[in-house]
Amino acid sequence: MQVFTCPFCGPRDETEFHFAAEAGKERPQPAEETSDADWADYLYFNDAPRGPAREVWVHVTCGEFFLMTRDTVTRAVSEVAPLPGRGE
Amino acid sequence: MKRYSALSLATEGLRGHRGWTPAWRKARPNDGYDAIVVGGGGHGLATAYYLAKNHGICRVALLEKGWIGGGNTGRNTTAVRSNYFYPESVALYDLALRLYEDLSRDLNFNVMLSQRGMLIAAHTPMQMEICARIANAMQLNGVDGELMGAEEAVKRAPLLNQDPQARFKCMGGVWQQRAGVARHDAVAWGYARAASDMGVDIIENCTVTDLLVEGGRITGVETDMGTIRADRVGLAAAGATPGLAAMGDVRLPIHNYALQAFVSEPVKPMLDIVLLYLGTGTYVSQSDKGELVIGGGLDRVPTHGQRGNLPAQETVLSGLLEMFPAFAQLKLLRQWAGVVDVVPDSSPVIGPAGPEGLFLNCGWGTGGFKAIPAGGWLLAHLLATGAHHEISRPFDLDRFARGRLIDEAAGAGIAH
Ligand SMILES: Cc1cc2nc3c(=O)[nH]c(=O)nc-3n(C[C@H](O)[C@H](O)[C@H](O)COP(=O)(O)OP(=O)(O)OC[C@H]3O[C@@H](n4cnc5c(N)ncnc54)[C@H](O)[C@@H]3O)c2cc1C
Ligand SMILES: [Zn+2]
């Protein structure tokens, strides 16, 4: 069992967490001016990086989304942080 | 190539088996080919074979980073079936199953296809309705599928937990008789041998490190054995495909996850079907050697490391013991994982991408072993003609922008 750290609740078992998305995606706005390709890119397409990755996860137990920086090969976590604007 | 037959086996037996030759040539790269296939799993090897056989394109290099069949093809639990939901999927997977049915003869290599039948078992009335829906869809799609009740289902797997108190007591399920298992290594080796015999260079221990693109066209690949040129390149590298495609500025709708499998000590025959249990997500079959081959759902942490995590193990194995309490006495011999390339609609990506001359066959996720003959057939068609086969058209990358997803996770509740 791997232990991840929720920035709000502290260290918990990996089973309490869900991967949500790769970090850094920006929702294209406004919707009426967004092309199908840009919308599909936002919704579905990823980099699936091998090695260092910045991702959004959710701690299902408390419901908070947060940023996790980890290595997708070794699975070592180097940093967790609240989403921008969601600190404290 | 020396043909394999009962006669050649008997003759070699008498000569002490000293006359066998390697099944495929160990090739070194030339500098130019008509086509390059990246990835020596089942899909890449089948692509190379059908390029030569169906299209007469034999100047083909198949480049494999490690040894052929060492990726997911050699790590999977070998369930073969075509019980999908959407007509597009059934056309694809049933093409594969039909090719599998004749593959041993076609390749002159015994792939040990055993159509022992597969049961998707249900334990609630709601799941029985899902099973009825799958059976109906299969029949409408012209594939053999039948709904069965508890008595019939338990007859096929008598060791199933029948304690009245059992939490997942079997209520019946959906049956596909033509489903079964095949020998994974034999599929890889059989395609390699037959392709090599027609002139394809199978080049192992050769890692593709870059795609060469000039003026919007693919012109070859860079490898740790030097530059190899071709104006058509097919990528069939499973979890490594996103990284390779990125070298041609192509992004893919893929997340990689580890998928685990487990093998028990060998025991006498006790399960002669493939069984998938909807309630536990665990599936199991018994190999010819007597080992139970066990699998289940994904590890839910995206990863490129071929290792499984403990929570997924616990889920799969506790599910198995719910289904078959008697299996608690067995010891596990081996456990491993492969990195599977999962697409949001649980359907593969087949088609052109990015620079002209670049084609993809990836996104098979947890279920691409059963599809190997079709995946190879269709990628070969794309490489040879530059255009889609009608069966691969719906699986083009453009389905995401067009909103035409083929959502088998929602449709068939696919596992493997
Ligand atoms: C545990 C497990 C159980 C499964 N069970 C089933 C099942 O029961 N039924 C089913 O139908 N499917 C199953 N699958 C899925 C199935 O194994 C895969 O979908 C299928 O084998 C994919 O084949 P492939 O040829 O695309 O990929 P692979 O066999 O993974 O081949 C890709 C190859 O590309 C090579 N490669 C990667 N990068 C490079 C590079 N840069 N240069 C050169 N070569 C490179 C790799 O070394 C690898 O050999 C299972 C998978 C796993 C992991
Ligand atoms: Zn929390």
Side-chain angles (χ1 to χ4, degrees):
Chain A
M1 182 81 73
Q2 185 171 10
V3 172
F4 291 141
T5 302
C6 169
F8 303 92
C9 312
R12 299 291 187 95
D13 288 351
E14 63 179 283
T15 47
E16 292 188 16
F17 297 83
H18 267 298
F19 168 76
E22 288 177 1
K25 280 191 164 188
E26 221 167 284
R27 181 177 172 138
Q29 304 268 31
E32 319 74 78
E33 283 163 35
T34 302
S35 71
D36 291 349
D38 287 345
W39 184 243
D41 192 63
Y42 167 70
L43 265 191
Y44 299 119
F45 287 66
N46 325 294
D47 295 324
R50 186 187 160 84
R54 261 181 98 240
E55 298 167 334
V56 180
W57 283 69
V58 58
H59 183 210
V60 179
T61 320
C62 72
E64 287 282 355
F65 286 77
F66 64 95
L67 285 168
M68 179 143 76
T69 309
R70 57 175 201 112
D71 188 300
T72 61
V73 179
T74 64
R75 303 193 185 195
V77 177
S78 50
E79 197 189 338
V80 293
L83 289 179
R86 191 66 191 81
E88 314 326 308
Chain B
M1 176 175 82
K2 183 169 185 149
R3 274 191 73 76
Y4 298 154
S5 65
L7 181 66
S8 70
L9 194 61
T11 323
E12 275 308 318
L14 293 173
R15 290 165 41 191
H17 292 291
R18 280 188 298 267
W20 298 117
T21 52
W24 62 90
R25 291 174 291 116
K26 298 267 171 220
R28 301 278 310 172
N30 295 331
D31 38 351
Y33 289 91
D34 291 336
I36 293 171
V37 181
V38 181
H43 284 275
L45 291 160
T47 304
Y49 171 69
Y50 292 119
L51 270 171
K53 185 187 174 215
N54 295 359
H55 304 282
I57 299 176
C58 302
R59 289 183 57 231
V60 174
L62 180 130
L63 310 180
E64 165 53 49
K65 174 171 88 168
W67 62 95
I68 61 166
N72 291 342
T73 298
R75 293 165 186 267
N76 87 94
T77 46
T78 76
V80 168
R81 61 186 176 85
S82 63
N83 45 4
Y84 283 73
F85 187 75
Y86 292 102
E88 295 88 340
S89 312
V90 175
L92 176 67
Y93 291 101
D94 209 56
L95 168 66
L97 188 49
R98 279 180 279 122
L99 289 168
Y100 260 127
E101 284 170 338
D102 194 44
L103 197 58
S104 296
R105 199 181 0 240
D106 187 29
L107 298 178
N108 180 234
F109 201 105
N110 188 359
V111 302
M112 299 167 109
L113 177 68
S114 158
Q115 293 177 292
R116 57 186 68 176
M118 172 169 178
L119 178 70
I120 301 180
H123 79 283
T124 64
M126 288 74 88
Q127 285 177 359
M128 278 307 284
E129 281 174 16
I130 303 259
C131 287
R133 181 169 170 269
I134 297 176
N136 288 341
M138 288 167 69
Q139 289 172 7
L140 285 171
N141 287 317
V143 167
D144 64 309
E146 101 190 59
L147 193 67
M148 60 179 54
E151 201 183 327
E152 190 56 22
V154 168
K155 222 187 280 169
R156 287 170 205 239
L159 289 178
L160 270 178
N161 192 353
Q162 289 169 71
D163 186 328
Q165 299 299 319
R167 183 159 165 219
F168 296 98
K169 193 153 181 288
C170 181
M171 287 192 77
V174 51
W175 175 256
Q176 184 179 24
Q177 179 60 55
R178 283 165 66 236
V181 293
R183 169 102 201 268
H184 49 12
D185 293 329
V187 172
W189 300 337
Y191 274 122
R193 171 170 170 269
S196 171
D197 186 49
M198 286 187 286
V200 171
D201 282 349
I202 311 258
I203 303 159
E204 293 175 293
N205 300 310
C206 177
T207 304
V208 172
T209 53
D210 205 358
L211 301 179
L212 302 176
V213 180
E214 287 160 33
R217 268 212 71 93
I218 195 103
T219 56
V221 299
E222 206 56 69
T223 76
D224 54 2
M225 291 187 179
T227 307
I228 308 177
R229 298 263 168 199
D231 59 7
R232 282 169 282 180
V233 175
L235 302 180
T241 314
L244 286 162
M247 298 166 186
D249 283 329
V250 175
R251 260 153 66 89
L252 295 175
I254 285 179
H255 287 297
N256 284 334
Y257 292 92
L259 180 67
Q260 305 189 52
F262 313 83
V263 162
S264 77
E265 60 188 317
V267 285
K268 291 200 170 155
M270 56 180 181
L271 181 70
D272 61 359
I273 64 170
V274 182
L275 180 73
L276 164 67
Y277 225 80
L278 289 174
T280 63
T282 300
Y283 65 95
V284 56
S285 66
Q286 191 172 18
S287 76
D288 294 338
K289 284 188 282 182
E291 303 155 326
L292 290 178
V293 180
I294 305 151
L298 294 169
D299 289 18
R300 300 223 326 285
V301 182
T303 183
H304 288 253
Q306 290 181 326
R307 291 180 307 281
N309 69 7
L310 287 168
Q313 263 180 51
E314 194 177 335
T315 306
V316 173
L317 296 173
S318 55
L320 180 76
L321 300 190
E322 274 295 332
M323 295 149 58
F324 296 104
F327 292 179
Q329 299 165 37
L330 292 175
K331 294 184 183 67
L332 278 188
L333 279 193
R334 301 191 297 283
Q335 168 274 343
W336 67 89
V339 173
V340 295
D341 39 346
V342 176
V343 179
D345 62 356
S346 303
S347 287
V349 171
I350 311 171
E356 210 177 314
L358 183 66
F359 300 92
L360 307 174
N361 167 357
C362 60
W364 292 100
T366 59
F369 175 70
K370 68 173 82 66
I372 283 171
W377 187 282
L378 299 168
L379 181 58
H381 184 97
L382 279 157
L383 285 164
T385 66
H388 268 293
H389 187 287
E390 60 176 15
I391 293 183
S392 63
R393 182 69 193 83
F395 297 93
D396 193 283
L397 203 51
D398 73 359
R399 73 177 185 270
F400 295 94
R402 298 195 308 133
R404 298 282 307 220
L405 304 199
I406 304 166
D407 194 349
E408 283 296 338
I414 59 132
H416 305 290

